[in-house]
Amino acid sequence: MDKLIITGGNRLHGEVVISGAKNAALPILCASLLTADTLHLSNVPSLKDISTTLKLLAQMGVQSQWGNPAELTLNAANVTSLEAPYELVKTMRASILVLGPLLARFGEARVSLPGGCAIGQRPVDQHIKGLTAMGAEIRIEHGFVIARAKRLKGATIRTDMVTVTGTENLLMAAVLAEGRTILENAAREPEITDLAELLIKMGARIQGHGTDRIIIDGVERLHGAKHRIVADRIEAGTFLCAVGAAGGDITLRHAAPDTMGAVLDKLQEAGVSIECGPDWIRGHMNQRPKAVGFRTYEYPAFPTDMQAQLMALNTIADGTAVIAENIFENRFMHVQELRRMGANIDIDGHTAVVKGIPELSGATVMATDLRASASLVIAGLAASGQTTIERIYHLDRGYEHMEVKLRQIGADIQRIKQDPA
Ligand code: UD1
């Protein structure tokens, strides 16, 4: 397994090109199952989760081809299997996103039930509840969700909690259902808006995306479309936390600041000076960060996917920050590793109290999940001496060439390739 070696202390200067959003690309790739025509996508990030999704789609018969960098075409004219096997679902929970499209277009799907994962239990009961309300017969057998429906029927569905992939699955099911579906308590994340915009280009009739009430009038069939994936707001936020912790002056290109309000507010509170244009963000930091407390909630509030990174910034801040994680029950695994670097953090249930110290000290640490890994990189950039981050395959699931982008702006960071054997 590869590892990263960082020598901390360098200030960051220069430009970073932000990639397309992983969490928008994953449902959009699965939306290719909704039509026999070709989808032409651009700004698709090159990530492990994307190649896993392409593998999953390929074994169903979907053909995909990379063109120019970040351009991908997908065609699902000859789907031969309606099954998502355990081997792929266990490595990526978002595989559940094939359930809605398969059921809507082919009337049948067999998707392995994802297990728990490092950050929490993450059940898919709401996906099942919604599809059942649309007339699907669903049973769980031998670890698979087995779903059948002649043609899904529009329904009013109110999920018990706000769920991102749940909203996406139900949206993709509803576009081909008979009649009107209303999704109440829908998630409002920009990645859902991006998916809805693609579906509309494919011929779907959708209103209210980006709000908590999405209205979908089902159509008989969808056609091909061209679409550019929205910028990754979490990657952009991660680089801004890095400059907040290490100091310097960076400009992010191809970013989407209008999707990042809560994160930009908190960074400014921490002392990072932020300037934005329509698709760029400049972050400039010349002082020790100030402690900033925050609570994670659904969009447009502060995202759980940025909690670990802003916590890393708080470990070296002036003051004490109280951080509440309200989305996942077990998303503080980076805390133990940050403590190995000297951080002063107390956890009580879903709240962490971070007392800032003047400087972290480099150590050998272990990445435990995707965003936890990013927080360790940020800590390593600001720490004195050398930090070794092991098990960085998590990072490769969601960040495109992170160490290359960081080196371009002056970080001392190396990947050590290790043979799996
Ligand atoms: C998505 C994102 C992930 C992000 C998360 C929250 C993708 C591929 N992943 O994950 O990066 O951290 O949103 O912003 O887009 N829940 C249930 N039953 C369900 C569905 C969800 O109990 O059927 C619970 C979950 O356990 C969790 C909460 O609802 O506590 C929110 O989860 P959800 O929004 O569904 O997260 P994901 O879509 O899996």
Side-chain angles (χ1 to χ4, degrees):
M1 274 178 244
D2 293 3
K3 54 185 179 185
L4 287 178
I5 297 188
I6 303 174
T7 304
N10 289 9
R11 291 166 65 81
L12 305 177
H13 283 276
E15 291 196 353
V16 178
V17 176
I18 296 303
S19 300
K22 166 181 90 74
N23 285 354
L26 296 179
I28 283 176
L29 261 52
C30 296
S32 67
L33 288 166
L34 288 165
T35 175
D37 295 348
T38 302
L39 289 191
H40 298 269
L41 304 176
S42 56
N43 207 28
V44 183
S46 166
L47 299 170
K48 187 81 182 87
D49 274 8
I50 298 293
S51 54
T52 305
T53 306
L54 291 177
K55 209 160 148 189
L56 173 67
L57 294 172
Q59 62 90 46
M60 291 174 177
V62 178
Q63 295 192 327
S64 63
Q65 196 165 9
W66 288 99
N68 291 325
E71 287 186 12
L72 181 69
T73 57
L74 291 159
N75 182 282
N78 297 308
V79 169
T80 48
S81 157
L82 303 175
E83 180 171 311
Y86 179 64
E87 289 62 44
L88 289 170
V89 178
K90 77 173 181 203
T91 63
M92 194 191 60
R93 297 178 41 83
S95 311
I96 191 74
L97 286 166
V98 299
L99 180 61
L102 285 178
L103 194 56
R105 178 158 159 232
F106 302 101
E108 210 180 308
R110 264 173 65 86
V111 179
S112 174
L113 203 53
C117 75
I119 63 176
Q121 288 188 28
R122 299 177 89 176
V124 293
D125 55 307
Q126 300 301 308
H127 304 230
I128 293 174
K129 167 179 151 170
L131 294 170
T132 306
M134 295 170 80
E137 276 176 34
I138 300 187
R139 58 182 206 281
I140 310 287
E141 223 172 79
H142 306 301
F144 278 80
V145 180
I146 301 177
R148 278 207 175 80
K150 239 184 165 166
R151 184 172 176 201
L152 293 170
K153 291 197 170 48
T156 296
I157 301 163
R158 185 179 173 82
T159 46
D160 298 357
M161 77 289 294
V162 177
T163 152
V164 175
T165 49
T167 302
E168 291 163 349
N169 236 339
L170 297 176
L171 177 59
M172 290 191 279
V175 289
L176 287 179
E178 187 184 335
R180 174 168 280 199
T181 298
I182 302 179
L183 301 179
E184 308 247 21
N185 203 24
R188 291 178 284 172
E189 269 64 3
E191 293 76 22
I192 291 178
T193 305
D194 204 39
L195 170 66
E197 282 169 4
L198 164 81
L199 293 169
I200 290 168
K201 290 178 194 163
M202 293 168 73
R205 293 170 57 201
I206 303 171
Q207 303 165 57
H209 43 293
T211 77
D212 61 1
R213 189 165 189 270
I214 308 180
I215 302 171
I216 307 115
D217 289 300
V219 296
E220 292 277 335
R221 64 180 53 79
L222 296 176
H223 49 73
K226 265 192 180 170
H227 186 75
R228 181 181 165 86
I229 311 273
V230 68
D232 196 318
R233 62 196 166 102
I234 307 299
E235 187 196 20
T238 301
F239 277 98
L240 291 172
C241 283
V243 80
D249 190 351
I250 63 170
T251 300
L252 310 179
R253 300 283 173 200
H254 297 186
D258 57 326
T259 63
M260 296 178 59
V263 171
L264 297 180
D265 285 355
K266 285 293 162 188
L267 285 162
Q268 275 174 313
E269 240 181 84
V272 183
S273 95
I274 302 275
E275 265 178 74
C276 297
D279 66 348
W280 58 268
I281 306 170
R282 177 175 170 212
H284 177 218
M285 185 66 161
N286 226 347
Q287 54 179 306
R288 182 175 175 195
K290 297 194 251 308
V292 276
F294 62 96
R295 296 153 195 263
T296 67
Y297 282 111
E298 295 85 7
Y299 190 83
F302 192 90
T304 174
D305 284 353
M306 280 300 302
Q307 178 254 107
Q309 300 90 313
L310 193 58
M311 185 187 292
L313 183 66
N314 271 304
T315 60
I316 51 164
D318 184 10
T320 296
V322 178
I323 298 174
E325 170 57 55
N326 293 312
I327 305 293
F328 292 112
E329 64 267 31
N330 191 22
R331 209 171 194 181
F332 282 143
M333 279 165 312
H334 42 286
V335 166
Q336 276 199 10
E337 303 299 309
L338 290 170
R339 280 184 188 141
R340 305 195 70 247
M341 300 175 74
N344 182 343
I345 309 171
D346 273 332
I347 296 182
D348 184 6
H350 68 123
T351 303
V353 178
V354 186
K355 292 197 182 102
I357 57 167
E359 192 173 53
L360 295 170
S361 66
T364 297
V365 290
M366 183 113 78
T368 48
D369 71 60
L370 172 53
R371 307 305 170 185
S373 319
S375 80
L376 297 176
V377 172
I378 293 166
L381 293 171
S384 67
Q386 189 168 298
T387 295
T388 302
I389 307 178
E390 301 197 328
R391 291 199 175 189
I392 56 152
Y393 59 87
H394 293 289
L395 203 66
D396 296 333
R397 285 188 41 214
Y399 288 93
E400 192 172 37
H401 313 307
M402 192 191 217
E403 80 278 12
V404 177
K405 291 187 183 185
L406 281 169
R407 251 198 322 271
Q408 282 166 355
I409 52 174
D412 184 343
I413 178 169
Q414 314 282 345
R415 177 185 290 253
I416 307 293
K417 289 247 171 230
Q418 283 190 331
D419 198 331

